[in-house]
Amino acid sequence: MRQLIAGNWKMNGLGQAAFAEIEALRAGLAADPPHADVLVCPPATLIARAHWAAKGAFPLGGQDCHAQASGAFTGDVSAEMLKDAGATWVIVGHSERRQYHHESDADVAAKARAAWRAGLTAIVCIGETERERMDGHTLDVVSRQLGASVPDGATPQNTVIAYEPIWAIGTGKTPTSAEIAEVHAHIRKIVGAGTRILYGGSVKPSNAKEILGLADVDGALVGGASLKAQDFLALIAAAAERS
Ligand code: 13P
C-alpha cells in the first residue's frame, strides 16, 4: 500500500508563517510529486486557512476531538467541527493527550467512534513508556492499547494505527530498526493486512529512509520535522515506493 507521511504540528503555528509553510509544501509537492500520501495536522485554529492554502494538494487533519458532536464542553472541538473546517482526518489518543489530559483507552475509543461518525479517518496512537520497554512489556502494552483504544468496526478506510514509543517522541532517540520491525509485525498480526501502521517518534530526514524501508512500516507520523516545509519535503521524498 502507498505510504502515508503525516505531519503533527502539535501546538505550533501562527497565521502568516504557517500559511507560508503550507504554500511551500504545496509548491514542493507540485514540483516533485511524492510516492506517498501526505497529511498535515495543524492546530485547530489553522485548519480552515490551511485547507484553503493547500488547494486540494493534500488533506488536513485535527490533533484531537471530543467524543460528542456538540454541547456544553467549553474549550473542546468536535469531530464534526474539524470536518466543517476542512479536515478529513483526526489524530486520537496521542501520548501527549493521554499524559497531559489523562485520556484512557476508553476515551480514545470514544473519540475514534466520533471521528467515524463525522466521516473522518482516525489515526489511533499507541506506544510504550521507557520503563515498559526496559521491563520487556512493549508487545503486551501495544496489544492492550490496540484492544481497548480501537473500537469494533475499524476498517483500513476509517482507521490508521500510529506506533509512537513515548520515549522516542521529541527526544532524538529512536528504537533500532529491528525493534521497530518487531512491534510493527506484532501490530500487523492484530490489525490485518490492509490497515496502515505508521511509525512516529523522532523521524527526521536523516533517518526516514531506513525507517520507511522497514516491512510493515506504512508511513510516519512526524512532529518536529513537519514544521518546516523543506524538512518535511525531504522526509516525504524518503518514502518507499509501494503500490
Ligand atoms: P517528533 O517527531 O517531534 O518526535 O514527534 C513525534 C510525534 O509525537 C508525532 O505525533
Side-chain angles (χ1 to χ4, degrees):
M1 72 193 92
R2 239 167 109 83
Q3 292 190 319
L4 171 67
I5 312 298
N8 172 11
W9 283 14
K10 308 192 179 185
M11 197 171 74
N12 295 291
L14 293 171
Q16 203 48 43
F19 187 84
E21 295 302 334
I22 294 289
E23 287 269 285
L25 182 59
R26 183 173 64 82
L29 294 173
D32 190 9
H35 303 308
D37 294 336
V38 174
L39 168 68
V40 176
C41 301
T45 48
L46 287 174
I47 289 174
R49 263 183 294 178
H51 176 61
W52 184 82
K55 299 195 175 12
F58 49 89
L60 281 303
Q63 300 175 6
D64 175 50
C65 65
H66 195 277
Q68 303 292 322
S70 62
F73 302 104
T74 301
D76 277 311
V77 174
S78 71
E80 282 77 359
M81 290 169 174
L82 296 173
K83 173 94 174 178
D84 188 49
T88 45
W89 295 70
V90 62
I91 298 167
V92 295
H94 191 282
S95 61
E96 288 152 15
R97 301 290 315 175
R98 292 176 186 262
Q99 185 181 351
Y100 304 134
H101 299 267
H102 311 293
E103 291 185 7
S104 66
D105 285 325
D107 295 329
V108 176
K111 290 174 180 222
R113 276 192 294 270
W116 302 345
R117 181 189 64 220
L120 305 179
T121 302
I123 300 179
V124 181
C125 300
I126 57 172
E128 82 284 3
T129 63
E130 189 153 36
R131 181 83 254 160
E132 289 164 339
R133 174 158 288 271
M134 286 193 308
D135 291 346
H137 296 320
T138 298
L139 299 185
D140 291 342
V141 168
V142 161
S143 300
R144 193 194 66 227
Q145 290 180 328
L146 274 177
S149 303
V150 181
D152 290 344
T155 68
Q157 287 70 44
N158 67 19
T159 304
V160 168
I161 306 299
Y163 167 58
E164 299 205 305
I166 295 170
W167 52 275
I169 294 176
T171 59
K173 291 194 265 182
T174 55
T176 64
S177 290
E179 287 168 340
I180 296 173
E182 180 191 30
V183 178
H184 278 241
H186 181 74
I187 297 170
R188 173 70 66 217
K189 270 192 254 153
I190 298 170
V191 301
T195 298
R196 273 170 166 160
I197 308 167
L198 312 184
Y199 170 80
S202 297
V203 182
K204 308 180 278 271
S206 58
N207 63 14
K209 204 162 188 74
E210 179 169 351
I211 293 171
L212 291 167
L214 298 171
D216 291 317
V217 172
D218 306 311
L221 183 54
V222 184
S226 71
L227 293 174
K228 291 273 168 251
Q230 293 318 315
D231 291 341
F232 198 44
L233 284 164
L235 211 152
I236 292 163
E241 198 167 350
R242 294 184 190 159
S243 51

